[in-house]
């Protein structure tokens, strides 16, 4: 009897034909390993390296990288040096752009997705048209909109018969950056919303219509609750993407007037690449990263408070 039991228990990890049983973790790890390797090399290692660099006085071209602890952070928070003043000026510019662009990039794509979710001739064509700009690179977008908004030769001023310095004055510069970014990226969030709208049960709309609910009531009682989790995702990634804006500012307004439209990413790049101060630029990156993590946490807590995700 014991021999039979031992024989039955022997293939606990493998089947009768020697293959791994269904519960073995090795197939899953084999499929995940390419992602884990890429994630480690391009995400984990850079993060660790940035944290390490932010704790050292590391200037390219100078020998040694002495440990300075939190001195790089203290200098930035002190606000008494040119570097700290320019850094917080960049953070302010980033906040302005995010505050102006994120609400539009969250709400307008939802309205567009609801229109494109209806049945009408050419629906697939219009879906492709609205998404098409998103596949273009930031260099193409920047050069295109800088030409369109040029004060002397740009079609915008000529078509509307106005004389506005869209790229060199404020608040016109912010309007230019927000409009260009909205035109460029509205299709991405629209596609996400569109996929989520198709998962909302049609029976709920039919039941709401039978109960006498109008379009606004159906939107607030059926559409929004069905999109809450997707909306949480869109809000988070939109805030992060807006806070990381750099290419549009560098190419469209060229950070004018002065450096008023230079975002914090632009100043980090200038400090690290042009100024060769890797330690200070890494500290700036860490402050920005922590700020975005806090904003993401606030977003998650907000949607949990309104019942958008499980606790």
């Amino acid at each position: 009897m014991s021999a039979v039991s031992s024989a039955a228990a022997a293939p606990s990890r493998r089947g009768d034909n020697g293959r791994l049983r269904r519960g073995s973790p090795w197939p899953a790890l084999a499929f995940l390993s390419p992602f884990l390797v890429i994630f480690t090399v391009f995400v984990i290692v850079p993060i660790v390296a940035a944290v390490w660099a932010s704790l050292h006085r590391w200037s390219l071209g100078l020998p040694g990288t002495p440990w300075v602890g939190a001195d790089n952070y203290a200098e930035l928070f002190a606000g008494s040096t040119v570097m700290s003043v320019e850094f917080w000026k960049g953070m302010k510019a980033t906040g302005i752009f995010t505050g102006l662009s994120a609400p539009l990039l969250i709400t307008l794509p939802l309205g567009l997705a609801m229109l494109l979710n209806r049945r009408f001739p050419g629906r697939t064509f219009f879906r492709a048209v609205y998404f098409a700009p998103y596949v273009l690179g930031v260099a193409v977008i920047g050069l295109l909109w800088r030409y369109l908004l040029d004060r002397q030769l740009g079609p915008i001023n000529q078509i509307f018969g106005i004389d506005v310095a869209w790229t060199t004055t404020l608040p016109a510069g912010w309007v230019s950056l927000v409009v260009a970014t909205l035109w460029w990226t509205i299709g991405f969030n629209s596609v996400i919303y569109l996929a989520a709208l198709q998962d909302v049960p049609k029976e709920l709309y039919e039941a709401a219509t039978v109960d006498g609910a109008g379009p606004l009531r159906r939107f607030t009682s059926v559409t929004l609750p069905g999109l809450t989790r997707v909306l949480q995702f869109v809000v988070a990634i939109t805030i992060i993407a807006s806070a990381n804006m750099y290419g549009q500012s560098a190419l469209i307004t060229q950070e004018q007037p002065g450096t008023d439209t230079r975002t914090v990413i632009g100043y980090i790049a200038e400090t690290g690449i042009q100024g060769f101060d890797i330690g200070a630029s890494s500290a700036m990156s860490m402050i920005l990263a922590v700020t975005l993590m806090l904003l993401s946490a606030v977003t998650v807590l907000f949607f949990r408070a309104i019942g958008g995700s499980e606790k």
Side-chain angles (χ1 to χ4, degrees):
M1 185 67 181
S2 59
V4 175
S5 300
S6 299
S12 58
R13 286 177 173 262
R14 295 178 177 271
D16 294 336
N17 55 1
R19 290 181 299 179
L20 291 173
R21 67 175 186 173
R22 183 175 299 177
S24 174
W26 297 112
L29 290 176
F31 281 106
L32 287 174
S33 58
F35 166 78
L36 294 176
V37 170
I38 295 174
F39 184 78
T40 301
V41 172
F42 292 101
V43 178
I44 300 299
V45 172
I47 290 175
V48 173
V51 173
W52 181 90
S54 70
L55 301 175
H56 292 74
R57 186 72 67 189
W58 183 4
S59 295
L60 295 179
L62 297 179
T65 54
W67 167 273
V68 295
D71 287 356
N72 287 326
Y73 295 95
E75 181 179 351
L76 292 174
F77 281 105
S80 57
T81 63
V82 174
M83 180 180 293
S84 62
V85 171
E86 292 298 322
F87 169 71
W88 291 110
K89 183 179 178 181
M91 288 288 283
K92 179 182 177 181
T94 299
I96 292 174
F97 177 79
T98 303
L100 293 174
S101 63
L104 297 176
L105 288 169
I106 293 169
T107 56
L108 294 184
L110 177 56
L112 179 61
M114 293 180 66
L115 290 175
L116 295 177
N117 194 42
R118 297 176 177 270
R119 294 186 178 276
F120 59 89
R123 179 177 65 170
T124 303
F125 169 77
F126 284 104
R127 288 179 178 180
V129 166
Y130 282 108
F131 184 77
Y134 186 75
V135 305
L136 300 176
V138 66
V140 177
I141 298 301
L143 294 176
L144 171 64
W145 278 92
R146 182 162 181 81
Y147 163 70
L148 293 174
L149 298 169
D150 185 85
R151 185 173 188 176
Q152 302 297 331
L153 304 175
I156 300 297
N157 280 351
Q158 295 182 14
I159 291 173
F160 292 99
I162 55 179
D163 183 21
V164 178
W166 293 103
T167 61
T168 56
T169 61
L170 293 180
W174 289 122
V175 174
S176 302
L177 293 173
V178 170
V179 170
T181 302
L182 182 64
W183 178 83
W184 180 29
T185 61
I186 191 173
F188 179 75
N189 285 351
S190 297
V191 168
I192 296 176
Y193 283 133
L194 188 60
L197 285 171
Q198 293 174 355
D199 287 337
V200 178
K202 304 296 183 183
E203 295 79 6
L204 297 179
Y205 290 105
E206 295 173 358
T209 303
V210 170
D211 290 341
L216 180 61
R217 183 64 176 176
R218 291 197 298 270
F219 175 75
T220 57
S221 299
V222 179
T223 304
L224 279 183
L227 297 179
T228 306
R229 291 175 182 251
V230 173
L231 188 60
Q232 175 183 335
F233 171 75
V234 170
V235 169
I237 64 171
T238 301
I239 291 176
I240 293 173
S242 297
N244 282 279
M245 189 274 286
Y246 168 60
Q248 300 95 297
S249 174
L251 295 171
I252 298 175
T253 63
Q254 296 182 343
E255 302 178 344
Q256 297 180 66
T259 57
D260 287 344
T261 57
R262 181 180 60 190
T263 60
V264 68
I265 293 293
Y267 187 64
I268 291 173
E270 180 180 322
T271 303
I273 299 175
Q274 298 180 13
F276 304 110
D277 194 340
I278 305 301
S281 62
S282 297
M284 297 176 193
S285 300
M286 290 298 103
I287 293 174
L288 176 62
V290 171
T291 302
L292 293 179
M293 286 191 289
L294 291 176
L295 289 175
S296 299
V298 170
T299 301
V300 172
L301 293 175
F302 171 77
F303 278 93
R304 283 188 175 183
I306 63 175
S309 58
E310 298 177 359
K311 298 182 179 180

